[in-house]
Amino acid sequence: MKFYNREKELDLLKKAEQSSFESSFMTFIVGRRRVGKTRLIKEAYKDKKLLYFFVAKKSEKLLCEEYKGIIEGVLGKRIIGQLTNFKEIFEYLMSVGESEQINIAIDEFQEFQNINPSVYSDMQNIWDEYKPKSKVNLILSGSIYSLMSKIFEDSKEPLFGRADRKIVLEPFDVNTLKEIYADYAEFNAKDFVSFYAITGGMAKYIEILCKEKAMSLEKIIDMVFCDGSFFLAEGREVLIGEFGKDYHTYFSILSLVAGSKTFRSEIEGVLEKSVGGFLEKLEKNYRIIKRVQPVFSKPNARNVKYEIIDNFLSFWFMFVYKNLSAVEIKNFDYLKKYTLKYFDQFLGRKLEKYFKEKLASTNEYSMIGSYWDKKGENEIDIVAVNEMEKRALIAEVKLNKNKINLQELKEKSKKILRYLKGFKIEYKGFGLEDV
Ligand SMILES: Nc1ncnc2c1ncn2[C@@H]1O[C@H](COP(=O)(O)OP(=O)(O)OP(=O)(O)O)[C@@H](O)[C@H]1O
């Protein structure tokens, strides 16, 4: 697949390289697995010399043998001496950087935690010594959000405060997704929104579907639910690295949130235990769910819902994890029928998210959210406000736009009008035809 988008990130990586000519520069990139970190780094330095090291789950000795080969190949230097551990390799490279500018990328950097955690303090000492006098553009990337943040942002960690720049790589936005979709298929609103709702803009999933020309809902479902499918184990694959062995409660919570049990009390009602600590970790450490509150509520108000941020994970929990027994016995027929039966429910929720993202991309609003009252009723799908220009958009979203009753929407909105005194308000319905 040709390279799409990422202009902002490419620009930052080019600037990092330029800065490294003055003194060494460290960037850390964090992004969920499959989002496109490796391809971004390679694209940024495709015409440059790049020492790219992947931290595979191997012993340090084997890794270093591989790295030595890479160094010799890229720099065209014969390495004399042993270099059997990463500390020696890193010191060697920083010393090379004293006489020439070099680009180094270390991918899945958090994996050193399992191989040899003292690498981080060794790197800190070497970095501090060489940074002012060398020209190394160092990119450290990783996909385990909690570990990467800890390595660079926890004041007790050796590399704390060493990174000059942080890049959080997000999935493709709705506009880029539309551009990609148009390169592979004739536009059809429901198929496109299904493509958005399932891939969530993750580069890898998009690439697989585009390659197989699976651009319609039916074809995507055929690709997901088949023998040897990449997608069936993917939710577990992506999350297990974050949660480790302790994943059961997290998976149960995510499965409930994906299935519309979005209030803490509802989750605790089903699991029959307190889940406050888990929710907090899912939100703050792992960044997998987010807290949402009705628009205009006070920040500490208790009317809070939870949402899974990632579309693919919410699809996976709703349709794959929920039916693991059918996956186990490979009853793909059942899985496809089940998914098609409940898909519109899922799609309706993602359509609302789609329009919120689209409105956000116009940069026309200072706040975009939803409203519901204390009982979780009287929902208003979208409330978008431009505080400065005193205007607001109040909208309802439905797959079938004909089912939207604007009069009812106006009626419901009375509850929030006191926050919008003097505002010009537009009431609107969004449906598939507005995609
Ligand atoms: N900007 C892009 N345009 C087109 N294809 C992309 C882009 N970014 C990534 N891809 C493709 O998506 C796939 C996943 O990307 P990549 O391997 O870079 O992700 P990653 O974040 O490093 O994932 P992992 O953590 O699983 O290694 C690759 O096959 C890559 O070619």
Side-chain angles (χ1 to χ4, degrees), residues 1-4 34-39 108 172 203 207:
M1 191 160 84
K2 79 173 198 216
F3 191 80
Y4 286 94
R34 326 296 192 199
V35 78
K37 300 175 296 297
T38 311
R39 178 96 187 256
E108 297 303 352
F172 291 131
E207 190 179 57

Side-chain angles (χ1 to χ4, degrees), residues 33-269:
R33 290 199 67 189
R34 326 296 192 199
V35 78
K37 300 175 296 297
T38 311
R39 178 96 187 256
L40 169 70
I41 296 167
K42 293 196 169 167
E43 178 72 19
Y45 304 116
K46 65 180 177 204
D47 306 319
K48 305 285 166 69
K49 272 188 188 169
L50 170 67
L51 287 148
Y52 172 82
F53 305 116
F54 183 80
V55 189
K57 294 184 191 341
K58 288 185 192 175
S59 74
E60 186 170 359
K61 189 161 177 282
L62 286 180
L63 271 184
C64 291
E65 266 170 32
E66 183 191 322
Y67 293 173
K68 256 167 78 174
I70 295 172
I71 297 169
E72 290 185 339
V74 174
L75 297 182
K77 292 187 200 298
R78 278 267 337 116
I79 297 177
I80 303 157
Q82 286 298 307
L83 300 193
T84 50
N85 59 49
F86 189 74
K87 180 180 173 204
E88 287 170 6
I89 295 228
F90 191 61
E91 182 147 26
Y92 171 78
L93 289 172
M94 292 301 291
S95 71
V96 171
E98 284 184 288
S99 50
E100 59 177 301
Q101 190 279 340
I102 48 174
N103 301 307
I104 304 173
I106 307 179
D107 206 349
E108 297 303 352
F109 183 63
Q110 81 276 330
E111 193 55 38
F112 277 129
Q113 194 90 22
N114 298 322
I115 297 170
N116 173 9
S118 67
V119 160
Y120 302 125
S121 53
D122 293 337
M123 279 181 80
Q124 179 226 315
N125 288 328
I126 298 165
W127 181 258
D128 289 350
E129 184 191 339
Y130 282 87
K131 177 177 161 98
K133 56 184 180 181
S134 63
K135 305 189 233 347
V136 172
N137 176 28
L138 181 62
I139 316 289
L140 305 169
S141 82
S143 51
I144 309 285
Y145 196 88
S146 45
L147 283 178
M148 286 296 280
S149 310
K150 184 164 177 273
I151 291 169
F152 294 100
E153 291 172 346
D154 180 339
S155 59
K156 294 193 251 352
E157 294 296 314
L159 287 173
F160 171 75
R162 295 309 188 278
D164 300 290
R165 171 146 298 125
K166 170 183 181 179
I167 297 177
V168 179
L169 196 61
E170 302 285 356
F172 291 131
D173 65 10
V174 289
N175 299 318
T176 309
L177 207 58
K178 221 172 191 178
E179 182 193 332
I180 301 175
Y181 192 85
D183 284 345
Y184 287 86
E186 192 96 350
F187 188 78
N188 168 295
K190 183 160 184 188
D191 287 335
F192 170 65
V193 178
S194 305
F195 182 76
Y196 157 81
I198 296 174
T199 65
M202 287 301 157
K204 174 90 178 174
Y205 311 151
I206 293 170
E207 190 179 57
I208 294 176
L209 297 180
C210 289
K211 193 162 162 242
E212 299 297 326
K213 302 236 173 341
M215 309 300 282
S216 67
L217 172 61
E218 277 73 20
K219 285 193 180 148
I220 298 174
I221 287 179
D222 281 346
M223 283 276 319
V224 172
F225 299 106
C226 69
D227 214 0
S229 158
F230 169 86
F231 297 100
L232 292 176
E234 178 65 1
R236 185 181 297 263
E237 186 71 24
V238 166
L239 293 176
I240 218 91
E242 292 278 10
F243 303 149
K245 288 193 199 83
D246 188 23
Y247 69 89
H248 285 105
T249 308
Y250 289 114
F251 272 38
S252 306
I253 294 172
L254 291 171
S255 151
L256 290 169
V257 175
S260 299
K261 295 264 184 283
T262 51
F263 289 98
R264 176 172 165 184
S265 55
E266 292 178 306
I267 300 168
E268 292 184 336

